[in-house]
Amino acid sequence: MAATKSKGIQTIAWWIGWITLTIVSFFAAAAFWTPLIANHLGSVRESRNAVIWVTAVFGTWMVFLVPLIVFMYQRVDKVYEDARIQREQNANRFRSILVPEEKRRIPENLSQQLTHLPQTIDGGHLVNITLQNGSKIPNVFISDCREVLGIYDARELTFEGRDIRELEPVDMTVPPVFVTTSWLRLDGAQTPN
């Protein structure tokens, strides 16, 4: 949070600095050309000298301004790119809470049953479970045939591993469509950056 606030303040400082340099460069050009034209051609209030002054001052200002614009464009582009990356990282984050392993551990008979089933992904099984009270919970991820590691579309763990009565593998011939942010991980691990 502090790093984000610091980065925001730094971005505002860059904008203020850029605006200040833009204004200062105009006055620097005017301060350079006004006495030079006045000394060599006469007063800048005369029509011909005024046109020369405007051309010289604004021409010089543009010469100063082009590198400033290029530099600021690069800064703005970097800010937008950083924001896009941050948005993408946040979109791929799953929720995570820490539940003690003993509450996540499933009964031994169900653990043995899973060892005979093909893994959904390396190291785990995606199953639908039935609890002792008869309620069913879909899309539960069991890690290493021994503990509940994740639940899809849940805010908290409403049961313990020992409350599971039956396991039914999820049919992966037509895999469910999952959104990363809807997964709840139970071992407290965070999304890697």
Side-chain angles (χ1 to χ4, degrees):
M1 178 81 173
T4 304
K5 188 174 182 179
S6 173
K7 200 169 190 178
I9 291 170
Q10 184 182 22
T11 300
I12 291 169
W14 276 107
W15 275 106
I16 292 170
W18 184 78
I19 291 167
T20 303
L21 279 173
T22 301
I23 294 167
V24 167
S25 65
F26 174 79
F27 287 109
F32 175 79
W33 286 110
T34 302
L36 193 68
I37 290 172
N39 290 338
H40 291 83
L41 302 175
S43 174
V44 292
R45 297 184 192 276
E46 295 174 14
S47 296
R48 184 178 75 82
N49 293 345
V51 170
I52 293 170
W53 182 87
V54 167
T55 304
V57 169
F58 280 95
T60 304
W61 190 43
M62 285 298 124
V63 168
F64 286 140
L65 214 50
V66 168
L68 284 173
I69 290 170
V70 169
F71 177 74
M72 204 58 206
Y73 174 79
Q74 290 172 338
R75 294 285 307 170
V76 168
D77 190 49
K78 182 175 181 348
V79 168
Y80 280 120
E81 184 65 15
D82 291 347
R84 182 190 64 77
I85 290 168
Q86 184 69 34
R87 201 171 43 250
E88 286 177 1
Q89 286 176 342
N90 289 340
N92 292 325
R93 288 188 178 264
F94 52 79
R95 286 173 286 124
S96 182
I97 60 174
L98 178 58
V99 176
E101 187 177 340
E102 59 273 5
K103 289 187 176 185
R104 294 183 277 132
R105 195 168 297 126
I106 65 173
E108 186 61 35
N109 64 323
L110 297 175
S111 182
Q112 290 300 319
Q113 180 184 338
L114 283 175
T115 59
H116 302 299
L117 298 173
Q119 293 182 344
T120 308
I121 62 169
D122 190 29
H125 295 84
L126 186 62
V127 296
N128 299 321
I129 63 170
T130 304
L131 300 178
Q132 299 292 349
N133 65 10
S135 61
K136 297 181 182 285
I137 300 175
N139 302 316
V140 175
F141 185 75
I142 309 282
S143 174
D144 296 325
C145 300
R146 72 173 201 272
E147 63 178 309
V148 176
L149 188 60
I151 306 171
Y152 189 73
D153 209 19
R155 290 260 171 231
E156 61 185 353
L157 182 63
T158 57
F159 61 91
E160 292 188 14
R162 65 176 176 232
D163 297 334
I164 301 172
R165 184 177 72 203
E166 294 176 14
L167 300 171
E168 174 194 348
V170 172
D171 180 14
M172 294 307 285
T173 56
V174 183
V177 177
F178 292 122
V179 178
T180 306
T181 54
S182 293
W183 276 102
L184 174 64
R185 189 161 172 166
L186 304 172
D187 64 352
Q190 299 296 315
T191 306
N193 291 328

